[in-house]
Amino acid sequence: MNLLGKIKMPKKVEPISPPSQVPVFWTETSESLSRQYQFESDGQLSVKVLDDSRPVIHKMAESFLNQFFPSGYPYSVNEGYLRYTQFRAMQHFTSAALSVLSTQSLLYAAGLRPTPAQATAVSWILKDGMQHAGKLICSSLGARMDSEPKRWRILADVLYDLGTGLEVLSPLCPQLFLEMAGLGNFAKGMAVVAARATRLPIYSSFAKEGNLSDLFAKGEAISTVFNVLGLGAGIQLVSTVCSSMQGKMIVGPLLSLAHICCVCEEMRATPVNTLNPQRTAMIVANFLKTGKISSPADLRYQEDLLFPGRLIEDAGNVKVGRDLHKAIKPSKLRQIKEIFPEENFLLNRGTRWTDMMLEQNATGEDALRGWLVAAYAANSEKNAHENDFNALEEAYEKMNSVITPLVSELQAKGWHTDRFLDGTGSRFAF
């Protein structure tokens, strides 16, 4: 018998081809517009207009929204974005007009006699020099800008207008041209760093669907358009009412005032959702008064943008960031540590305020726990006149009974509790 005949050759297995995927698409019709939506093979959603019988004005409005507002607006951004954008546009318009006035004044002070068009062209050259020194000095203040981006954004524009004002006034004392121009550019350099450093946390507060890049791109598009319009308005002003020094001294302060007012309204409309000392104190104060958790949008108009370090009595008059050796006497340190054995904070009640010291790895939740203890202790001491340590112990127990649902609701409202931005406040580590 042939042995080869008994050996069965294995059958060749044909590869099973995956079933062809049927494209998923659907059609949506709204008033006089019909669109077809389809998921591509890479998972992206494509949109095709099937029928559009809308008036031209409606098509132009949609084109404007697509060009200058993030995709999905208004559902893709947090509350306040439209008001922020309106005042941001006016801010850039007035700032650009001011820059033309200041540049022409600088050139006059230097002994030149430019036309308005020359002033616009040379404005880019005069930004260098002393600006670099201002940028280097301001770059060391980044931690404070993280904690209070709104305040530093306003301060940036005040510095910018101060530098611009020095440039506008430079023809009055041409012998001090280099000094005034240098000091003006120094202030502008600090303003540029502060404005750029605070841009990201401000845009992040509006991002609702991970669309930070889209928000940033559309915001820069609006800034560019209104900067160009402002330059045009500035050229018109220096050709007419601002052709004389008297005209500049009237129009300049008005433009600067409008500029600062627009920036303040921008910042008031911005719902920053990170925890810092002021916002944490406001959350605790509102919680103790009403039993409710405030959202970032609820607190945006209550924030003190000029003096954010003020103490809030309803939240326990808590002060964060003092050095441990200055805030707590060595004789009291062990006793205070025993009250909060597993916590990342220490509290010491004084006559005017309560010091809270945070460990190096303390989060926003840790700061919130400490703030609640301080607020509860202040209330119980006020009502029952207890001593500091008894009040802290009772407040600590009370805080533990409410903190879990409170933190969950905070996160549901959009707050980031994974970090606490206390600026340059010092922290400790045992």
Side-chain angles (χ1 to χ4, degrees):
M1 183 178 292
N2 189 1
L3 293 176
L4 294 176
K6 294 182 179 181
I7 300 174
K8 295 183 178 180
M9 298 297 292
K11 294 182 179 180
K12 187 177 181 181
V13 180
E14 296 291 335
I16 300 175
S17 58
S20 58
Q21 296 183 353
V22 179
V24 179
F25 65 91
W26 67 93
T27 303
E28 294 184 6
T29 302
S30 174
E31 295 181 353
S32 53
L33 176 64
S34 178
R35 292 189 179 98
Q36 177 179 293
Y37 297 82
Q38 178 174 333
F39 281 110
E40 304 293 346
S41 57
D42 58 356
Q44 295 293 321
L45 181 65
S46 64
V47 183
K48 180 181 178 182
V49 178
L50 300 179
D51 181 37
D52 188 0
S53 55
R54 295 176 299 168
V56 176
I57 188 67
H58 290 176
K59 295 180 182 179
M60 293 175 62
E62 183 182 25
S63 177
F64 176 82
L65 286 176
N66 292 336
Q67 183 68 34
F68 295 106
F69 286 83
S71 300
Y73 175 84
Y75 307 105
S76 61
V77 296
N78 284 319
E79 185 179 346
Y81 181 73
L82 178 60
R83 184 174 179 83
Y84 168 83
T85 303
Q86 290 170 337
F87 282 101
R88 178 174 169 80
M90 290 305 301
Q91 172 218 333
H92 281 278
F93 179 86
T94 53
S95 176
L98 265 174
S99 69
V100 178
L101 269 64
S102 65
T103 301
Q104 191 194 46
S105 296
L106 279 175
L107 294 176
Y108 270 110
L112 303 176
R113 294 295 180 268
T115 64
Q118 287 173 320
T120 307
V122 177
S123 64
W124 304 106
I125 302 173
L126 296 179
K127 289 183 179 181
D128 297 329
M130 284 292 290
Q131 268 197 4
H132 298 301
K135 290 178 179 179
L136 288 174
I137 291 176
C138 199
S139 63
S140 63
L141 304 173
R144 299 187 183 187
M145 297 178 196
D146 278 331
S147 178
E148 292 290 348
K150 293 184 178 184
R151 182 191 185 208
W152 280 92
R153 186 64 182 87
I154 294 174
L155 181 60
D157 285 274
V158 171
L159 284 171
Y160 187 89
D161 285 3
L162 178 63
T164 302
L166 289 172
E167 293 174 349
V168 170
L169 295 175
S170 58
L172 297 179
C173 43
Q175 68 277 10
L176 298 176
F177 168 74
L178 289 178
E179 289 82 354
M180 296 191 71
L183 191 57
N185 275 331
F186 180 82
K188 284 186 173 182
M190 295 185 68
V192 167
V193 171
R196 289 176 180 174
T198 55
R199 192 176 302 169
L200 184 59
I202 290 171
Y203 275 130
S204 298
S205 64
F206 288 111
K208 196 174 182 179
E209 301 175 351
N211 55 344
L212 183 58
S213 296
D214 193 17
L215 273 169
F216 190 88
K218 298 303 170 57
E220 293 306 297
I222 292 176
S223 301
T224 301
V225 169
F226 280 87
N227 271 328
V228 172
L229 292 176
L231 287 174
I235 293 172
Q236 185 64 29
L237 285 173
V238 296
S239 302
T240 53
V241 295
C242 294
S243 57
S244 64
M245 193 63 202
Q246 291 81 0
K248 289 188 179 72
M249 294 183 69
I250 295 174
V251 175
L254 293 177
L255 285 175
S256 180
L257 180 62
H259 180 214
I260 299 302
C261 288
C262 288
V263 176
C264 290
E265 288 301 318
E266 281 178 59
M267 296 303 103
R268 282 166 54 81
T270 304
V272 176
N273 53 8
T274 52
L275 293 178
N276 70 349
Q278 180 181 198
R279 287 188 286 275
T280 305
M282 293 169 68
I283 290 172
V284 170
N286 290 345
F287 175 71
L288 294 182
K289 283 181 181 178
T290 65
K292 298 179 180 179
I293 300 298
S294 302
S295 68
D298 295 332
L299 294 185
R300 54 187 173 147
Y301 287 111
Q302 301 176 29
E303 289 186 70
D304 190 337
L305 301 182
L306 297 181
F307 304 102
R310 63 185 176 89
L311 300 178
I312 299 179
E313 184 177 358
D314 294 332
N317 283 332
V318 177
K319 180 179 287 189
V320 184
R322 290 184 72 198
D323 293 332
L324 183 63
H325 69 278
K326 295 179 180 178
I328 301 179
K329 295 179 180 179
S331 59
K332 298 174 64 175
L333 180 58
R334 182 180 297 275
Q335 192 173 0
I336 292 175
K337 183 62 179 173
E338 289 175 354
I339 300 176
F340 313 112
E342 304 296 330
E343 298 293 344
N344 290 329
F345 64 85
L346 294 176
L347 292 175
N348 183 36
R349 287 188 51 75
T351 55
R352 292 192 300 167
W353 66 74
T354 298
D355 281 302
M356 180 164 67
M357 289 66 64
L358 297 172
E359 285 198 9
Q360 291 288 351
N361 58 345
T363 64
E365 181 177 343
D366 294 319
L368 184 66
R369 293 169 69 92
W371 227 293
L372 274 173
V373 173
Y376 282 138
N379 289 336
S380 63
E381 193 176 80
K382 186 187 303 181
N383 297 330
H385 303 286
E386 298 182 4
N387 64 54
D388 291 347
F389 295 114
N390 289 340
L392 287 175
E393 288 174 351
E394 290 184 9
Y396 186 55
E397 293 178 3
K398 196 171 184 180
M399 178 274 294
N400 282 323
S401 67
V402 301
I403 190 63
T404 301
L406 189 148
V407 171
S408 298
E409 191 171 351
L410 267 178
Q411 295 170 345
K413 292 276 189 179
W415 291 103
H416 293 293
T417 59
D418 57 335
R419 57 188 179 274
F420 184 72
L421 304 174
D422 51 346
T424 57
S426 63
R427 297 196 176 192
F428 70 90
F430 285 115

